[in-house]
Amino acid sequence: MLLDTPKAEMGWNAKPFTLLDPDGNSYNLSDLQGENGLLIAFICNHCPYVKRIINRFVHDAKLLQAEGINVVAISSNDYRYVPEDSPDNMRAFAKTNGFTFPYLVDEEQAIAKSYGAVCTPDFYGFNKAGALQYRGRLDDAVMGDATNRKTELLDALLQITKTGHGPASQHPSIGCSIKWK
């Protein structure tokens, strides 16, 4: 089912978590916080919206990482219902798409619920103090031609590194609903 993200109240602090990647390595929020902020992306392998934007997301993530903003992707889908989203397939998806950031399994779906994530992709940008400053889409191309895209997420997070605050105008992300247990 196609969903878009609800408008988020800005300023709440990133909720602590500890999750594993497909290889069993543990990551927690405090380890992931970057010098200039953190981007949390709720994604999955099978969603056509994620597949359409994944190359652009990975490209923008590398630019953010170079600016001291850490990036983490989290899959909260029930992979027993959607086997394409299994940890083994997550590992392959990350490798195929050149992830330079952790891709974590939200097995119990508690993190997605605590953040209010509703779809894939769903992006959350936090400033260096850990306060939410962006919840929106990757860019204005969405499923269309990305040749002249406006890099909304990248621009917002770069603004956050300079000012501590995200843009006043933010467009919701659009994607497939998270597959809940």
Side-chain angles (χ1 to χ4, degrees):
M1 175 187 345
L2 174 65
L3 292 176
D4 59 353
T5 56
K7 184 170 176 59
E9 184 177 327
M10 295 297 133
W12 55 264
N13 286 329
K15 296 167 179 38
F17 62 81
T18 300
L19 294 173
L20 302 177
D21 69 11
D23 295 319
N25 300 307
S26 181
Y27 293 84
N28 64 54
L29 178 67
S30 60
D31 293 336
L32 293 166
Q33 180 65 38
E35 175 186 337
N36 290 320
L38 176 65
L39 170 62
I40 298 175
F42 289 89
I43 66 170
C44 69
N45 306 337
H46 88 277
C47 174
Y49 290 86
V50 172
K51 288 179 178 179
R52 184 66 181 199
I53 62 107
I54 197 65
N55 291 334
R56 301 188 318 256
F57 170 57
V58 170
H59 173 269
D60 291 357
K62 290 175 185 173
L63 297 175
L64 292 171
Q65 290 170 310
E67 296 295 324
I69 302 166
N70 279 352
V71 177
V72 61
I74 299 174
S75 179
S76 298
N77 273 359
D78 178 2
Y79 61 82
R80 286 163 187 84
Y81 178 71
V82 184
E84 189 176 341
D85 293 333
S86 73
D88 285 341
N89 288 323
M90 289 172 61
R91 183 184 306 105
F93 188 78
K95 183 176 181 179
T96 298
N97 290 291
F99 284 19
T100 56
F101 47 85
Y103 189 15
L104 308 179
V105 182
D106 184 11
E107 180 88 23
E108 301 303 317
Q109 301 181 315
I111 307 313
K113 288 177 183 173
S114 73
Y115 278 72
V118 296
C119 65
T120 56
D122 203 346
F123 298 104
Y124 293 77
F126 297 89
N127 64 18
K128 66 182 174 182
L132 181 70
Q133 296 299 316
Y134 184 80
R135 183 174 184 193
R137 64 190 183 188
L138 179 71
D139 57 33
D140 63 348
V142 189
M143 293 288 279
D145 178 12
T147 305
N148 295 311
R149 73 183 178 119
K150 183 173 189 276
T151 55
E152 294 170 14
L153 177 104
L154 176 65
D155 296 346
L157 269 74
L158 292 176
Q159 175 183 324
I160 293 165
T161 65
K162 291 180 179 72
T163 68
H165 301 285
S169 177
Q170 299 180 15
H171 301 281
S173 189
I174 298 170
C176 298
S177 64
I178 290 177
K179 307 308 182 245
W180 302 106
K181 293 181 180 179

